[in-house]
Amino acid sequence: MTTISGKTNLVGLIGWPVSHSVSPPMHNAAFAALGLDWCYVPLPVPIEPADRIGEAVRGLRALGLRGANVTVPHKQAVMPHLDWLTPAAQAIGAVNTIRVEPDGALSGDNTDAPGFVADLREHGVDSSGKNVIVLGAGGSARAIVYGLAASGARKILIVNRTVDKAASLANQMQALFPNCAIAAQPLAQPLADVAEQTDLIINTTSLGMTPDVAGLPWEPDVKFSAHQAVYDLVYNPPQTRLLQKARVDGAQAIGGLGMLIWQGAIAFERWTGVAAPVDLMRRTVTEIFAKR
Ligand code: ATR
């Protein structure tokens, strides 16, 4: 643990609740390992009253913090209180990383998208030129589709229970990325035909997440194959029903813990300007989950 002094640089996590978050121990272990005089603290901000979130964001600057991560339910709510947004945060419509810039401006970024792409790469999957199915069209799906299109995916099919949401996300991202063919389809429509020509399948829905561990965002009878990778953003449980099926069918199965680590590692680098000790961050998070 960093020894706090009068010169310690502070960052934190804005969310509600934040008490179970692994981000404080993950970042503090990284600061300590590199001997950086930085500290990461929980910053719980309730939803009510509504003006609290604005006060909290402005308070980062007023109190001399260097920045913050933002998590559920405030990723959108912080946006109007920031001075500027990166193109990624603007397109995704959510901020997970705030920086207090040297001139005092508050900038909003989204490291979920590059964090996801970095984790895919770490697993040997290059999304460039790939045909992808994204299951879900909520907040996480927006970051995933952006990350995939920005990293050169050839085709993205967004499959969602509420097809209108998938269509609207597809239209918005298609306008930004003309070289990627982005389409939408309802979850109820059979997947067998399109699945065959797909390289990568990504679950961004909450199906399969504790306590709904029986949830499966895929037709049980449609097999995955050895040339496919299946990525589940859900990391609790680590082995979702979808990942179990992927493994049984012979596909590469990747859980969502790596994205959590990489989005943190990229935020770490944006704040400190120093390369994050990713392996140490992963070990820290893995140990915490092993004890839960
Ligand atoms: P997140 O920020 O984690 O993406 P979200 O924005 O609430 O959370 O999105 C949840 C996603 O899971 C949505 O795509 C949602 O589908 P709808 O848009 O139709 O609501 C999907 N989802 C949640 N529960 C589901 C269920 N029981 N069956 C199918 N899809 C479900």
Side-chain angles (χ1 to χ4, degrees), residues 72 75-76 135-142 158-166 187 203-207 209 212 215-217 233:
V72 178
K75 284 185 177 189
Q76 281 100 38
L135 302 162
S140 323
R142 300 184 63 82
I158 308 169
V159 175
N160 197 42
R161 179 178 59 182
T162 313
V163 73
D164 290 357
K165 267 166 74 180
L187 186 62
N203 175 43
T204 74
T205 76
S206 48
L207 288 172
M209 190 190 297
D212 172 31
L216 180 68
L233 259 64

Side-chain angles (χ1 to χ4, degrees), residues 98-125:
I98 297 174
R99 223 163 58 153
V100 183
E101 301 290 338
D103 66 358
L106 294 163
S107 67
D109 196 0
N110 189 304
T111 69
D112 288 330
F116 166 71
V117 174
D119 191 45
L120 269 185
R121 283 211 184 102
E122 194 183 350
H123 285 89
V125 181

Side-chain angles (χ1 to χ4, degrees), residues 204-229:
T204 74
T205 76
S206 48
L207 288 172
M209 190 190 297
T210 305
D212 172 31
V213 292
L216 180 68
W218 191 259
E219 285 169 61
D221 297 338
V222 177
K223 275 197 176 288
F224 297 119
S225 55
H227 72 87
Q228 292 177 325

